[in-house]
Amino acid sequence: MPRSNKATLDRRIEEVRQMIVAGASFPDVQKYADQQGWNVSRRQLRRYQDLAYQRMAKLTERDRAELLGRQLMQRRAIYAQCLKAKDYRTALAAARDEAALLG
């Protein structure tokens, strides 16, 4: 089997990543690869799957600080709106939730 170029490899890994996110199992990935004519071994598909998981981990880690910041700002906005509406119970819940996010 000839080796795939970098662009093809990246595209395949991204397709496998999207399938995993959608809930596909390894047999689903294998069937898809066969249908697409990838002509790769089970071992190579496992490598694609491992690389897809690594890519997801990198994306998650990179976005983690941004996501936490957004979540905190949303809770603070809810807190402020609740105080303005004199809904102290919900304001307290938002404050507790923010504290839980911060550990």
Side-chain angles (χ1 to χ4, degrees):
M1 286 182 244
R3 292 179 59 108
S4 302
N5 63 27
K6 175 126 173 67
T8 301
L9 179 65
D10 285 342
R11 183 179 42 79
R12 288 177 180 178
I13 293 167
E14 182 59 23
E15 289 177 41
V16 170
R17 187 191 68 79
Q18 289 175 2
M19 291 180 71
I20 292 168
V21 169
S25 63
F26 184 77
D28 298 326
V29 173
Q30 189 173 17
K31 182 178 177 183
Y32 178 79
D34 290 341
Q35 290 171 344
Q36 297 300 311
W38 289 1
N39 196 28
V40 294
S41 66
R42 289 175 56 94
R43 185 174 175 183
Q44 183 62 36
L45 278 178
R46 291 280 184 202
R47 281 191 212 114
Y48 288 171
Q49 193 175 39
D50 290 343
L51 291 167
Y53 277 112
Q54 289 173 18
R55 189 174 285 185
M56 285 187 282
K58 281 183 185 178
L59 289 171
T60 304
E61 188 60 38
R62 187 183 74 207
D63 294 341
R64 188 179 195 116
E66 293 172 13
L67 292 171
L68 178 61
R70 186 181 78 202
Q71 292 295 322
L72 289 171
M73 291 300 105
Q74 287 173 335
R75 278 149 183 82
R76 289 177 185 173
I78 291 168
Y79 178 81
Q81 290 172 349
C82 291
L83 285 181
K84 195 174 192 178
K86 297 185 181 186
D87 181 1
Y88 302 116
R89 182 175 297 204
T90 307
L92 181 59
R96 283 185 184 139
D97 199 52
E98 180 180 335
L101 280 175
L102 293 172

